[in-house]
Amino acid sequence: MASGKEKSNDDTPTVYSHEEAKQIRKLVRTSKEPPRCPRCDEALKIGPEALHQVGGKEYTVRALSCPVCRRLVSIKNMPKRR
């Protein structure tokens, strides 16, 4: 984890590494506690659900972002049954 909680000045969020994203997705699905940023330990902001259609299947997606280091990950849920 990075030390300190300095806010990034970048305008565009940066995505988490594959391993960090995997860790966050696991926490979201298994923990009752709000997920925290693996880089700076700040509580992640959870965005609203968005509906996406891919190959005739519908998915709900939520973006989780860190307000301090401005990293971003999307969480896709299982396809909804029609």
Side-chain angles (χ1 to χ4, degrees), residues 1-6 16 20 23-24 27 33-45 65-71:
M1 279 189 251
S3 62
K5 291 188 175 183
E6 293 182 29
Y16 286 100
E20 291 168 331
Q23 177 184 353
I24 294 168
L27 284 172
E33 298 294 319
R36 301 193 72 81
C37 177
R39 295 263 176 142
C40 68
D41 201 38
E42 184 71 23
L44 296 177
K45 288 185 175 183
S65 61
C66 179
V68 175
C69 68
R70 298 195 37 86
R71 298 233 183 286

Side-chain angles (χ1 to χ4, degrees), residues 5-76:
K5 291 188 175 183
E6 293 182 29
K7 190 167 185 169
S8 170
N9 292 326
D10 294 338
D11 290 336
T12 305
T14 303
V15 296
Y16 286 100
S17 72
H18 178 72
E19 287 302 315
E20 291 168 331
K22 188 176 174 180
Q23 177 184 353
I24 294 168
R25 288 182 181 108
K26 182 178 178 183
L27 284 172
V28 166
R29 292 186 174 112
T30 61
S31 177
K32 295 184 191 244
E33 298 294 319
R36 301 193 72 81
C37 177
R39 295 263 176 142
C40 68
D41 201 38
E42 184 71 23
L44 296 177
K45 288 185 175 183
I46 302 173
E49 270 189 355
L51 183 64
H52 290 271
Q53 294 183 354
V54 177
K57 295 180 182 178
E58 292 182 345
Y59 296 89
T60 56
V61 178
R62 283 191 177 217
L64 284 78
S65 61
C66 179
V68 175
C69 68
R70 298 195 37 86
R71 298 233 183 286
L72 177 72
V73 65
S74 294
I75 306 285
K76 178 176 74 173

Side-chain angles (χ1 to χ4, degrees), residues 58 79-82:
E58 292 182 345
K80 290 185 175 184
R81 296 178 188 243
R82 290 185 183 209

